[in-house]
Amino acid sequence: MEVGQMQRRLVDYTKSLFMEKGFLDAQFLQLQQLQDESNPDFVVEVVSLFFDDSEKLLNDLTMALDQPNVDFKKVDAHVHQLKGSSSSIGAQRVKNACIAFRSFCEEQNIDATLRCLQQVKQEYYLVKNKLETMLRLEQQIVAAGGSIPMIELGF
Amino acid sequence: MLSSTFCLFFLSVKALLYSGLDVIQSQSFEERYGGDKRPISILDGIYDIWQEVPRRKNNIMVPSKRVEIDAEYDTVIYWKQRAAHLEKMLEASMQREQLLMEKLQESIKNLEKQSSPVEELSQVLKRADNFLHFVLQTAPVVFGHQDKELRYRFIYNHFPSLQEEDILGKTDVEIFTGSGVKESQDFKKEVMDKGLPAKREITFETELFGSKTFLIYVEPVFSKAGETIGINYMGMDITDQVRKRERMIKIREEIAVQKAKETELNRTIHITEETMRAKQMLATMSHEIRSPLSGVVSMAEILATTKLDREQRQLLDVMISSGDLVLQLINDILDLSKVESAAASLRKILTLEGNVADDVPVEVIGDVLRIRQILTNLISNAIKFTHEGKVGVKLYVVPEPPFAKEGSQNGSAESTANQSTTNVPKEETCTSTSQTSSDQRGFHGKKHEGSCQDRSQSERGTPVTHGTIDVTEEQAELPETTVWIRCDVYDTGIGIPENALPTLFKKYMQVSADHARKYGGTGLGLAICKQLVELMGGRLTVSSQVHCGSTFTFILPYKVSLSCDHSDDPDDDLSDMDDHGATDDDATAGFFQFQPRTLGSLFSSNGSSRTQNLLAHNIGYVNSHKINGFSENCYSFPTSNGQTKEMDLVEDACSVAEALEISPEPESSFSHSPDHDNESAICRDEHHHNVVNAENKVSTRDVSSCSETSREVDVKVKITEPQLPAERQGRSDSGFQSTLNSSREASNSISKPKILLVEDNKINVMVTRSMMKQLGHTIDVVNNGVEAVRAIQYHSYDLVLMDVCMPVMDGLQTTRLIRSFEETGNWDEAAKAGIEKPSPSSDSLQPDCTPPKRIPIIAMTANALSESADECSANGMDSFISKPVTFQKLKECLEQYLP
C-alpha cells in the first residue's frame, strides 16, 4: 500500500473510532498532541501502559469477583483505577462501562457486577484491538517514510 | 380412467333415472381446455349409450344342385331314375333339417345360458355405486347439479335432512330458508352469468341444519354449443375449521395487541427512566449551579454596600434582582423534583402528630431556615414513605449528649476522615486561638461553664473580629445557656432495611433502584439533612424496622436567652440585627455553630490582625472575579458560596485567608508594583468607607453558609467593625506587607516553581507529567497521601496537584494534614495519622520562625458527585480540576496558581 493510501486509511479509521463507535473521545487527541519530536513514541507508550495496567486490573477484578465473599470495596477500587486510566487515554466506552460498574459495586449487586465485568472486558478488548490496528497503521506509515496525518475533529 | 368414466357415466344414468326424465340422456364429460386452461364441463345433448346390438350376419349359403340324369327324357327309366334321385335328395334334406334343428336347440340353450347385457351393466353400475358410497360415505361434502333455472337435477348429500324428492326440481330458496340461502343462490347465479368457476365461504343459519359454514365451489356447465345449461356445485362443511381459524385470528390479534402494549410499556418504562435520570441530572446540575451563582449574587450584594454612584447602583440592582431570580428558579427546580416525587403519594390519609414536651423552652435561638429545612425534609420523607398510619414529630429536652462532651474533652484525638464532620473543636484549635483580647477573655470566662460549642464559638470569632456571641451588647451581658433539644420524626411507613442504613445518608443514594423508581427524589435530602445537623453541632440518627416505620432523630444545641422580654430573634430578621448591631460598639461575632476544622484553619492560621483579613477580603474578590473569568474547568472555591440575601462570612473569611496566602496574581500581590500599591490602597479606602458606614449604621452582615454539600450551615454572624480607621490602616499595611515579603522570598529562592503530583494511577501520572513537560514544568510524583506528606515535609512546593481518591491515604485527609501543619507549624496531626515527623535536618520551616507558606492544593476529581467540589474546599483544597486532565485545564490552573 502506498503511503498516501495508508494515510487516508488511518484518517478514516481514526475518525470511525471517534465518530461512529465512540470508542475514543477528545482525551485521546490530548495524547496525540503530547507526542512530538522529543517524545516520538508517547502515544504508544501510554497506550501500552494502559494495556498492561488494564489487563492486570481486569485479572484482579476477575479474581476479586470470584471470591465466595466479594470485597466490593476492593472491586470498586480496581474499577476506579480502570476508570481513571481509561478516562485518561480517552477510552470512552471502557470508562462508561466502569461508571456503570461502580454504581453496582455500591449496590453490592454481585450479578450486575459480574455482568459489568464482562461488559468492561468486552469494551476493553474492543478498544485494544482498535488501538492496536490504528497504531500499527501509524507505524507502517512511518516505516514507509510518511508522516502521521493530523486528525481534525470538531470536539 | 375407465372406472372413473364409468362412474360419471353411471352417475348421470342414475340421475336421469331418479329424475324420471323421459328422454334418455347420457352425459359425457369431455376435458376441454379453454383460453385460461381451466377445465369446463360440457353436457352433450344426447349420447346413445344403448348401442344397438350388432346384427348377426346370416351368410349361410344353400347350394342348388342340379341332378344329372342319363336316361332318355320321358322314358320309364328316366322317370324311375328321376324318382330315385329325388328320393335321395329328400333324404339329404331331411338329414340337414335334423342337423339344423339340433343346432337351433343348441343355440337356444346357449342363449339361455348367456346373461343379458342389461344385467351385466346393472352389476357394473351397482359396483360403481357401492364404490362411490364407500368413498363418499364419511366425506362431509354435498354436491349436485342444477339446471339453468337452478333447480336441482342431481344432489348428493351424505347427511341428508331432506329426501331427494324434496330437493330435486327445486331451487335453494324453495327448499330452505335462513341466512346464507339467498347468498348461496345468488352466488350460483353469478357463476352462471360469468361462466367462470368460483369458490366462496358461506355461513348458513337455517332451521334445517343450524349454523354451519360451507366452502362452496360452483362451476358452470356448458352445452357443446357453448351455452350455459347449469352448474355443478360442491359444498364442504368447514364449520369447525372456520371456528378454529377464527379463534386463531383472535389469538393472533390478542398477541399483536399484547405485543403492542408491551412495546408501549417498554417505551414508557424507558421514558420514565430517562425522565428520572433527567430529573436527577437537573437536580444535580441545579445544585452545582446554585453554589457558584449564590456566590455571584452575594458578591453583588456586598458590592452594593460599597460606595457607588447612581448609575452603578442601578446596574447593580438589576444584577442582584436578576441573580435572585435565577437562584429562585433553580430553587424551584430543586423543589419541583421533590414535589414530583411526592406527588405519587398525595392521596392518602395520614395522621400527623405533634408533641412538644413541657420542658422545651418556648423560645430558643437557632437557625430557623436550616432547622426548617431539616424538618421539612424529614417530615416529607416520612409522609412519602408512609402509606397508612401516622407521621409525628416529638420534641424534648435532653442533657448534653456524650458526643459533645467527648468532643470538648478529647476532640483532638479525632483525626480520621469519618469524624471530620463532627463539630467538635479541637484542642489545638483552641490553644492556637488563645491570643484573645481582654474583653473576650472576660467573655470567654463567662462562657466557660457553658458548652464547648459556646467556647469554641467565642474563640473562633476572636481572631477575626474580636467578637462576642451573636447577641446584642445587652444580650451578651445577660446570662445565656445552651439547651439540647431532641427532635424525633417518626412514621409508620415502609421502613428501611438494615443493609441500606449505612448508605442512607450518602448523596444520591436511595434504598434501592426500585425505591428510586417508585418514590422518586434525588437522594440528596437526607445527605443534606445530616450535614446540616452536624454542622450545627448536632447529630442525626435513624432507627428503623422494615414494614413498621422509621424514626429520624436529630439532637441540636440551641441557645436560650434568659431575658424573657427579648423578643427579636436575630436569626430571623436581618434588619433587627442591624438595629441591635447599631448600638453595639464592641466587636461582636457569634457563630452559632460551624465546622471547626474549616473555620479553625481559617481563623487560627493567621497570626496577623483582623485587618489583614479584611484587606485580603477585597483582594479575594478581585481574585475570584478573575478566577471566574478565567476558566470553566478550574473552579475556585472562595466565591462559590453564599445564598441570596445571605452572605457567607465564614466562607468569605475562608476565601480571604486563602486568597491572600495564595497570592496568585502578580499584579495584586507578588510583584509589589506601584499598580498594586494603588490597588491595595483603594481596597483599604473602600474599607474605610465601610468602616465609617459601619460606625453609623454598623456594617453588620448576616452571614450564612450555603455551600450545599459540606457547609450548609446557617451560621449567622454579626460583625461590627469596632476599630478606628487609622489604626486599621496601619495594621493592615504591616500585616499585608509581611505576607508579601514571605511569599516573595519563597518565590525568589526557587527559580522554577516546584510542583508535586499526588496520583496513584500510572497512566494519569504519565499523561499529566507529559502535559506538564509541554507546559515547561517538571514535576515530582508521589503515589499516595502519606508519600505526599513526606515529600512536603522535606521539600517546599509551590503547587500540589492532588488526586482525591487514593489508596493508603486519600487526598482530602492529606490536605487536612498539610493545612494543619501550615496552621500550627508542626506535624502533630500527621504524626497522629501515623506519619513520622521529619528529622530536624529537614529544610521544612520551623513553626517558631516564619509561619509555613500555604501551598495551593488543587484537587483532581474523577467525578463531581462522590468527590464533590465542596468536600474538596471543606478539606482545605483551593480548587479542583476535573478528570481527565487536559492541557487547557492544567494551563489555566498553572496560570492561576503559579506566579
Side-chain angles (χ1 to χ4, degrees):
Chain A
M1 219 186 322
E2 54 144 343
V3 175
Q5 202 182 341
M6 285 198 291
Q7 283 172 336
R8 275 195 302 280
R9 227 190 103 192
L10 177 66
V11 171
D12 288 346
Y13 190 76
T14 312
K15 275 191 178 163
S16 81
L17 291 189
F18 284 100
M19 303 297 195
E20 292 154 34
K21 312 287 164 64
F23 286 110
L24 297 176
D25 62 24
Q27 185 67 17
F28 190 77
L29 295 185
Q30 293 270 329
L31 299 189
Q32 291 184 319
Q33 281 168 23
L34 290 174
Q35 182 162 297
D36 54 20
E37 304 81 46
S38 68
N39 213 350
D41 295 321
F42 180 72
V43 174
V44 177
E45 281 169 20
V46 174
V47 169
S48 317
L49 184 60
F50 171 68
F51 290 161
D52 295 346
D53 192 54
S54 303
E55 268 151 52
K56 192 184 139 284
L57 284 170
L58 286 175
N59 269 337
D60 291 351
L61 274 173
T62 313
M63 299 234 287
L65 282 174
D66 205 26
Q67 302 299 314
N69 288 316
V70 175
D71 180 354
F72 280 101
K73 247 179 137 174
K74 198 166 141 199
V75 172
D76 188 58
H78 289 322
V79 182
H80 175 76
Q81 282 290 320
L82 187 57
K83 185 182 147 232
S85 313
S86 52
S87 152
S88 274
I89 74 146
Q92 192 173 222
R93 285 169 52 155
V94 178
K95 183 186 81 181
N96 291 341
C98 286
I99 292 171
F101 201 152
R102 288 197 75 187
S103 69
F104 288 117
C105 281
E106 273 192 73
E107 283 177 25
Q108 313 226 325
N109 183 337
I110 182 86
D111 290 336
T113 46
L114 282 171
R115 262 202 317 281
C116 282
L117 177 62
Q118 285 315 310
Q119 178 76 16
V120 167
K121 275 185 179 172
Q122 193 188 333
E123 291 297 352
Y124 165 71
Y125 285 111
L126 265 173
V127 80
K128 182 184 180 187
N129 198 352
K130 304 281 174 191
L131 282 170
E132 280 173 345
T133 309
M134 187 172 91
L135 294 175
R136 203 162 45 239
L137 205 52
E138 283 190 2
Q139 281 167 354
Q140 283 167 1
I141 292 171
V142 173
S147 62
I148 309 293
M150 276 310 288
I151 287 133
E152 296 286 329
L153 289 166
F155 277 105
Chain B
M1 185 64 205
L2 180 73
S3 71
S4 73
T5 331
F6 235 128
C7 290
L8 290 167
F9 165 73
F10 159 75
L11 284 175
S12 52
V13 171
K14 196 178 176 199
L16 293 173
L17 290 176
Y18 283 143
S19 62
L21 285 176
D22 304 323
V23 186
I24 294 171
Q25 287 181 330
S26 79
Q27 289 176 328
S28 105
F29 294 90
E30 276 181 28
E31 287 194 338
R32 196 170 71 186
Y33 292 93
D36 54 355
K37 312 248 176 201
R38 235 174 322 101
I40 55 166
S41 305
I42 292 173
L43 179 59
D44 205 358
I46 295 158
Y47 187 72
D48 188 9
I49 56 164
W50 301 107
Q51 273 187 339
E52 284 167 79
V53 182
R55 245 175 268 273
R56 189 177 298 185
K57 287 207 177 131
N58 213 353
N59 359 332
I60 299 164
M61 292 291 289
V62 183
S64 55
K65 275 185 205 161
R66 205 158 274 261
V67 184
E68 304 289 328
I69 302 166
D70 305 332
E72 190 86 18
Y73 188 71
D74 224 6
T75 58
V76 175
I77 293 164
Y78 171 81
W79 291 110
K80 266 190 179 171
Q81 274 188 329
R82 176 99 190 241
H85 190 64
L86 284 173
E87 208 168 328
K88 263 186 199 166
M89 275 178 73
L90 184 65
E91 208 169 325
S93 182
M94 289 275 284
Q95 255 177 356
R96 226 166 27 240
E97 198 187 322
Q98 184 66 37
L99 205 80
L100 280 171
M101 276 296 281
E102 270 169 25
K103 251 190 180 165
L104 187 66
Q105 287 299 327
E106 203 178 321
S107 280
I108 286 168
K109 237 187 206 169
N110 275 349
L111 198 68
E112 272 170 358
K113 256 188 222 162
Q114 269 178 3
S115 59
S116 73
V118 176
E119 237 172 283
E120 221 171 282
L121 278 171
S122 295
Q123 252 170 6
V124 171
L125 286 175
K126 201 163 181 204
R127 275 217 305 280
D129 192 32
N130 284 341
F131 169 73
L132 277 176
H133 276 271
F134 169 71
V135 171
L136 295 172
Q137 64 183 336
T138 53
V141 290
V142 184
F143 51 80
H145 174 78
Q146 283 163 290
D147 64 16
K148 240 198 292 200
E149 289 163 1
L150 290 176
R151 292 185 185 284
Y152 280 95
R153 285 300 162 97
F154 167 78
I155 179 88
Y156 170 83
N157 189 352
H158 179 69
F159 305 103
S161 325
L162 295 168
Q163 294 304 306
E164 272 166 349
E165 46 272 34
D166 297 327
I167 295 173
L168 296 175
K170 291 181 184 167
T171 62
D172 282 318
V173 285
E174 285 166 2
I175 299 163
F176 54 124
T177 55
S179 72
V181 177
K182 181 84 175 36
E183 189 189 348
S184 128
Q185 174 128 334
D186 289 346
F187 173 54
K188 288 169 183 171
K189 235 177 232 154
E190 199 185 303
V191 169
M192 204 151 60
D193 292 345
K194 282 189 179 162
L196 294 169
K199 271 183 254 179
R200 185 177 288 186
E201 244 176 63
I202 296 174
T203 303
F204 292 92
E205 186 72 61
T206 62
E207 275 180 34
L208 209 58
F209 48 81
S211 174
K212 273 201 161 115
T213 305
F214 284 86
L215 175 65
I216 289 171
Y217 170 72
V218 181
E219 61 170 18
V221 178
F222 303 100
S223 68
K224 244 199 174 138
E227 219 182 320
T228 317
I229 54 161
I231 51 136
N232 285 340
Y233 102 96
M234 175 178 262
M236 183 184 267
D237 182 0
I238 52 164
T239 311
D240 291 347
Q241 284 80 357
V242 168
R243 209 171 290 148
K244 274 181 201 156
R245 192 182 62 203
E246 268 162 14
R247 215 178 303 146
M248 201 78 145
I249 289 168
K250 220 171 175 185
I251 288 168
R252 261 191 216 128
E253 244 166 48
E254 277 165 11
I255 289 171
V257 168
Q258 197 124 354
K259 263 191 186 157
K261 274 185 189 163
E262 228 166 78
T263 317
E264 188 63 26
L265 195 64
N266 277 336
R267 201 175 302 142
T268 314
I269 290 171
H270 184 70
I271 291 169
T272 312
E273 277 172 353
E274 285 288 295
T275 313
M276 286 271 306
R277 214 170 298 141
K279 216 159 58 185
Q280 190 166 325
M281 177 89 177
L282 193 64
T284 312
M285 290 285 293
S286 308
H287 260 285
E288 301 286 323
I289 294 167
R290 189 159 65 169
S291 303
L293 183 62
S294 46
V296 173
V297 174
S298 305
M299 292 311 118
E301 275 168 355
I302 290 164
L303 194 58
T305 64
T306 62
K307 194 187 170 196
L308 298 169
D309 64 31
R310 241 190 95 204
E311 198 188 341
Q312 284 174 326
R313 190 159 296 284
Q314 275 177 347
L315 293 173
L316 198 61
D317 284 347
V318 174
M319 185 173 152
I320 291 172
S321 64
S322 306
D324 278 348
L325 192 66
V326 179
L327 265 182
Q328 196 48 53
L329 280 175
I330 289 171
N331 287 339
D332 287 351
I333 290 171
L334 281 173
D335 287 346
L336 189 72
S337 54
K338 282 197 179 142
V339 169
E340 270 180 24
S341 47
S345 50
L346 276 180
R347 253 160 294 155
K348 56 190 179 192
I349 297 161
L350 293 175
T351 313
L352 184 63
E353 293 177 345
N355 183 3
V356 181
D358 288 339
D359 55 353
V360 174
V362 174
E363 193 176 75
V364 293
I365 299 169
D367 186 337
V368 163
L369 286 176
R370 298 306 154 205
I371 293 166
R372 186 161 59 205
Q373 189 180 349
I374 294 165
L375 272 173
T376 311
N377 241 320
L378 293 181
I379 295 171
S380 63
N381 260 357
I383 291 171
K384 185 156 87 172
F385 294 108
T386 305
H387 301 297
E388 54 183 343
K390 60 188 178 184
V391 169
V393 182
K394 221 184 281 174
L395 279 180
Y396 42 98
V397 173
V398 291
E400 185 181 353
F403 64 81
K405 283 180 196 154
E406 182 191 305
S408 65
Q409 281 152 11
N410 49 7
S412 60
E414 303 184 4
S415 58
T416 65
N418 281 348
Q419 285 160 313
S420 68
T421 45
T422 51
N423 295 290
V424 179
K426 291 179 176 182
E427 259 168 335
E428 298 100 272
T429 324
C430 292
T431 50
S432 70
T433 57
S434 62
Q435 17 86 282
T436 48
S437 65
S438 60
D439 58 311
Q440 282 160 349
R441 211 169 275 142
F443 181 67
H444 182 256
K446 215 186 292 173
K447 295 301 301 165
H448 202 54
E449 82 272 4
S451 77
C452 168
Q453 268 71 24
D454 285 340
R455 206 172 79 205
S456 68
Q457 283 153 19
S458 59
E459 281 168 358
R460 263 320 124 41
T462 301
V464 192
T465 54
H466 297 243
T468 56
I469 292 297
D470 163 38
V471 283
T472 57
E473 196 182 4
E474 307 94 77
Q475 278 180 297
E477 239 105 273
L478 288 166
E480 201 180 18
T481 53
T482 295
V483 61
W484 290 81
I485 297 175
R486 176 178 162 148
C487 178
D488 290 348
V489 176
Y490 56 90
D491 64 61
T492 58
I494 59 168
I496 303 154
E498 212 177 318
N499 60 13
L501 286 174
T503 55
L504 194 64
F505 295 107
K506 270 196 176 176
K507 261 180 280 171
Y508 300 106
M509 285 299 286
Q510 292 185 325
V511 169
S512 74
D514 279 342
H515 281 77
R517 202 165 297 139
K518 194 167 166 192
Y519 294 105
T522 56
L524 274 175
L526 283 177
I528 292 173
C529 280
K530 186 176 161 71
Q531 266 164 334
L532 286 180
V533 169
E534 288 183 351
L535 288 164
M536 286 194 277
R539 279 280 165 91
L540 173 63
T541 52
V542 61
S543 64
S544 183
Q545 209 171 347
V546 176
H547 304 312
C548 294
S550 312
T551 303
F552 284 85
T553 302
F554 65 93
I555 306 175
L556 277 180
Y558 303 82
K559 271 172 291 159
V560 187
S561 171
L562 298 184
S563 82
C564 310
D565 59 342
H566 175 64
S567 56
D568 295 322
D569 187 350
D571 293 316
D572 278 343
D573 197 319
L574 293 182
S575 58
D576 272 348
M577 282 182 62
D578 281 346
D579 290 340
H580 289 300
T583 60
D584 189 2
D585 279 338
D586 214 337
T588 53
F591 296 89
F592 177 71
Q593 258 311 333
F594 42 75
Q595 192 163 10
R597 200 154 278 137
T598 318
L599 293 173
S601 69
L602 300 170
F603 291 90
S604 59
S605 67
N606 221 316
S608 45
S609 72
R610 165 197 88 266
T611 28
Q612 181 186 340
N613 279 332
L614 287 167
L615 177 63
H617 206 144
N618 277 0
I619 293 172
Y621 295 151
V622 171
N623 222 352
S624 50
H625 281 282
K626 291 212 161 173
I627 289 161
N628 285 344
F630 262 141
S631 116
E632 292 169 337
N633 291 323
C634 202
Y635 295 99
S636 192
F637 297 127
T639 53
S640 66
N641 295 301
Q643 207 178 20
T644 338
K645 305 232 165 88
E646 297 171 317
M647 186 220 132
D648 181 352
L649 181 77
V650 185
E651 284 292 298
D652 197 23
C654 165
S655 69
V656 168
E658 283 169 357
L660 184 67
E661 281 156 3
I662 295 159
S663 301
E665 303 296 337
E667 78 275 14
S668 75
S669 51
F670 263 95
S671 65
H672 217 314
S673 64
D675 267 322
H676 160 64
D677 272 345
N678 286 344
E679 203 174 308
S680 47
I682 289 163
C683 293
R684 266 172 258 141
D685 274 341
E686 293 272 271
H687 257 283
H688 297 160
H689 263 295
N690 281 349
V691 174
V692 172
N693 284 344
E695 297 205 311
N696 298 331
K697 209 188 136 199
V698 183
S699 76
T700 311
R701 290 189 193 115
D702 182 12
V703 179
S704 89
S705 152
C706 78
S707 139
E708 287 303 325
T709 42
S710 69
R711 256 168 284 157
E712 188 134 11
V713 200
D714 214 42
V715 190
K716 305 267 179 180
V717 180
K718 241 201 293 182
I719 307 167
T720 31
E721 305 299 342
Q723 277 168 328
L724 293 172
E727 241 180 84
R728 172 189 302 273
Q729 180 154 15
R731 292 181 96 187
S732 83
D733 257 340
S734 62
F736 189 52
Q737 208 75 21
S738 70
T739 321
L740 282 177
N741 290 341
S742 69
S743 339
R744 219 180 178 194
E745 272 160 28
S747 69
N748 284 343
S749 63
I750 302 153
S751 54
K752 239 182 162 185
K754 284 204 73 174
I755 299 166
L756 178 67
L757 172 65
V758 190
E759 166 69 71
D760 63 315
N761 186 307
K762 283 178 274 180
I763 290 140
N764 292 351
V765 168
M766 192 166 173
V767 172
T768 310
R769 193 201 288 273
S770 176
M771 284 178 178
M772 284 300 223
K773 196 175 149 201
Q774 286 219 344
L775 289 166
H777 296 284
T778 48
I779 53 170
D780 290 352
V781 178
V782 290
N783 300 121
N784 60 52
V786 172
E787 288 175 15
V789 169
R790 290 219 179 95
I792 289 166
Q793 281 173 347
Y794 290 94
H795 306 281
S796 61
Y797 286 97
D798 298 288
L799 182 66
V800 177
L801 298 174
M802 179 93 70
D803 185 18
V804 174
C805 195
M806 282 182 296
V808 188
M809 186 185 282
D810 69 22
L812 301 179
Q813 194 189 348
T814 311
T815 306
R816 285 200 305 275
L817 296 181
I818 294 167
R819 293 293 181 233
S820 158
F821 164 67
E822 288 165 353
E823 286 147 18
T824 62
N826 63 60
W827 286 103
D828 293 348
E829 279 300 301
K832 275 177 204 150
I835 305 169
E836 74 252 34
K837 292 189 186 185
S839 57
S841 64
S842 79
D843 61 354
S844 71
L845 299 164
Q846 287 309 301
D848 293 334
C849 315
T850 14
K853 177 170 60 101
R854 194 178 190 279
I855 311 172
I857 300 178
I858 312 301
M860 299 204 296
T861 61
N863 68 65
L865 290 188
S866 67
E867 302 165 2
S868 77
D870 293 314
E871 219 178 335
C872 293
S873 83
N875 282 281
M877 289 168 153
D878 295 283
S879 173
F880 73 87
I881 298 175
S882 63
K883 283 183 179 176
V885 176
T886 64
F887 241 153
Q888 193 60 21
K889 290 180 200 167
L890 268 184
K891 207 169 140 214
E892 279 162 4
C893 175
L894 292 181
E895 275 169 5
Q896 196 181 332
Y897 287 97
L898 286 180

